[in-house]
Amino acid sequence: DAGITQSPRHKVTETGTPVTLRCHQTENHRYMYWYRQDPGHGLRLIHYSYGVKDTDKGEVSDGYSVSRSKTEDFLLTLESATSSQTSVYFCAISSAGTGNQPQHFGDGTRLSIL
Amino acid sequence: GEDVEQSLFLSVREGDSSVINCTYTDSSSTYLYWYKQEPGAGLQLLTYIFSNMDMKQDQRLTVLLNKKDKHLSLRIADTQTGDSAIYFCAERNTGGFKTIFGAGTRLFVKA
């Protein structure tokens, strides 16, 4: 299994509070991704990174920011959490952005915003 | 835009074959993947196929690709209770980093 650790695994917080989720990889892969998974929607890309300090938006980036100061860590921040951000968040990594380099996933963080 | 569609549920008896279907819209899709998700876990890559292939077999798994109809299927032979999970179809085109996922098919295996 790819060495991907997400923390925390579960979190419950209140509307309006800031939340940061962490993804840590030991594979030295260049690309990292944050997805959210909601019933009926599959996985939707929030943000991705193609290198240290290099990030870009995905299809559902509003209300989220990311940072990547080291190859191994990719942080997802909800500056002011809303109930619509209750979801399961998955981090993924890949060694290349193109070609047949499939993404490998962490075990997810279940986030509940009350 | 790009889209990947799957049926939401499939129920089979233990020992039977399961066939999970997927359709996609992007004609430039080059790589097509099947992932498995068990409860409380992330997505695990099961298998993949290149667009220049029609079929790929890997133990109990057979992937069939019909490029003309943009249809992909995953057949699981001798389905076991441990195969109960959500299966995601995903596609990616050449030169693109973005992987598009379907909503997932929940497979129920009855003993």
Side-chain angles (χ1 to χ4, degrees):
Chain A
D1 287 345
I4 307 168
T5 304
Q6 291 187 233
S7 58
R9 292 294 315 279
H10 303 272
K11 186 172 181 68
V12 180
T13 191
E14 294 183 346
T15 300
T17 60
V19 177
T20 295
L21 308 183
R22 180 180 183 238
C23 178
H24 178 79
Q25 59 139 332
T26 58
E27 305 296 320
N28 201 36
H29 282 354
R30 180 180 174 187
Y31 290 81
M32 299 185 75
Y33 311 81
W34 277 108
Y35 290 90
R36 60 178 289 174
Q37 182 181 27
D38 303 290
H41 287 279
L43 274 80
R44 292 182 291 176
L45 183 65
I46 304 171
H47 281 279
Y48 68 100
S49 170
Y50 47 96
V52 173
K53 293 186 169 45
D54 293 323
T55 66
D56 206 349
K57 296 179 180 180
E59 63 181 303
V60 289
S61 59
D62 288 348
Y64 301 95
S65 63
V66 290
S67 66
R68 189 156 177 216
S69 58
K70 298 185 289 185
T71 298
E72 56 265 37
D73 289 326
F74 193 32
L75 304 181
L76 177 70
T77 297
L78 292 65
E79 300 290 348
S80 178
T82 67
S83 58
S84 65
Q85 294 176 310
T86 291
S87 188
V88 182
Y89 290 85
F90 287 99
C91 173
I93 65 174
S94 65
S95 58
T98 61
N100 183 34
Q101 297 300 328
Q103 296 176 12
H104 298 277
F105 287 81
D107 286 336
T109 294
R110 186 173 294 275
L111 178 62
S112 297
I113 315 292
L114 305 178
Chain B
E2 306 137 328
D3 196 15
V4 176
E5 293 192 355
Q6 307 176 234
S7 54
L8 294 183
F9 300 100
L10 176 66
S11 179
V12 300
R13 292 194 179 278
E14 190 175 20
D16 289 349
S17 292
S18 309
V19 179
I20 302 171
N21 294 300
C22 168
T23 58
Y24 58 96
T25 57
D26 187 356
S27 58
S28 63
S29 292
T30 303
Y31 307 104
L32 296 133
Y33 308 95
W34 284 104
Y35 286 86
K36 176 184 181 182
Q37 184 184 32
E38 299 187 33
L43 278 68
Q44 172 195 356
L45 180 68
L46 278 181
T47 187
Y48 61 89
I49 190 167
F50 299 138
S51 61
N52 61 356
M53 299 166 66
D54 297 325
M55 184 183 88
K56 181 179 181 181
Q57 189 156 0
D58 185 359
Q59 300 182 343
R60 291 191 298 123
L61 305 179
T62 302
V63 178
L64 295 177
L65 175 61
N66 181 329
K67 281 198 305 182
K68 175 177 169 291
D69 295 337
K70 298 179 193 165
H71 182 268
L72 183 73
S73 67
L74 174 69
R75 178 176 180 269
I76 306 173
D78 187 24
T79 310
Q80 303 298 306
T81 55
D83 294 323
S84 293
I86 302 175
Y87 291 81
F88 290 91
C89 170
E91 62 91 7
R92 180 182 198 179
N93 58 33
T94 305
F97 74 91
K98 193 176 176 185
T99 302
I100 308 297
F101 290 86
T105 299
R106 187 178 292 272
L107 175 64
F108 297 94
V109 182
K110 296 176 286 189

